[in-house]
Amino acid sequence: MEKKRYYIGPVVTDISEFGIEEGAPSYLTKENDIAWFFHVVDKMKIAYDDWDFPPLIVFYSAGKYEIADGRHRNEAFRQMNIK
């Protein structure tokens, strides 16, 4: 690795305070890709009671937080008002 990295976790916290982009990722530009993103989010919301969701993986770089794994889960939680 080029740089030393530090890992903390798992941590239970409200990531809505981290300033992470909400909704479909901005790199999705095609209408079908955005629609698919929200289709997956809707399926996750339906499965919420029957599925033990894995944790989100969040990293901090260049002064901001980003989700490395869990964009769909984060959006589903946001829409269901789960902190």
Side-chain angles (χ1 to χ4, degrees), residues 1 3-9 58-60:
M1 300 189 126
K3 297 179 182 178
K4 188 169 185 157
R5 291 182 163 82
Y6 301 93
Y7 299 90
I8 301 170
V58 178
F59 67 92
Y60 180 80

Side-chain angles (χ1 to χ4, degrees), residues 17-79:
E17 298 176 12
F18 289 5
I20 295 174
E21 177 182 39
E22 295 179 348
S26 57
Y27 60 80
L28 293 180
T29 58
K30 295 181 181 175
E31 190 173 320
N32 287 347
D33 293 340
I34 295 169
W36 182 256
F37 177 87
F38 286 108
H39 169 76
V40 172
V41 168
D42 290 341
K43 293 291 186 182
M44 288 183 164
K45 289 170 21 185
I46 291 168
Y48 178 74
D49 290 330
D50 299 322
W51 185 29
D52 185 16
F53 282 73
L56 306 177
I57 307 298
V58 178
F59 67 92
Y60 180 80
S61 179
K64 66 179 186 173
Y65 292 93
E66 292 187 42
I67 296 176
D69 182 52
R71 292 290 303 244
H72 296 96
R73 286 169 284 169
N74 185 57
E75 180 60 19
F77 294 151
R78 188 186 71 76
Q79 288 183 15

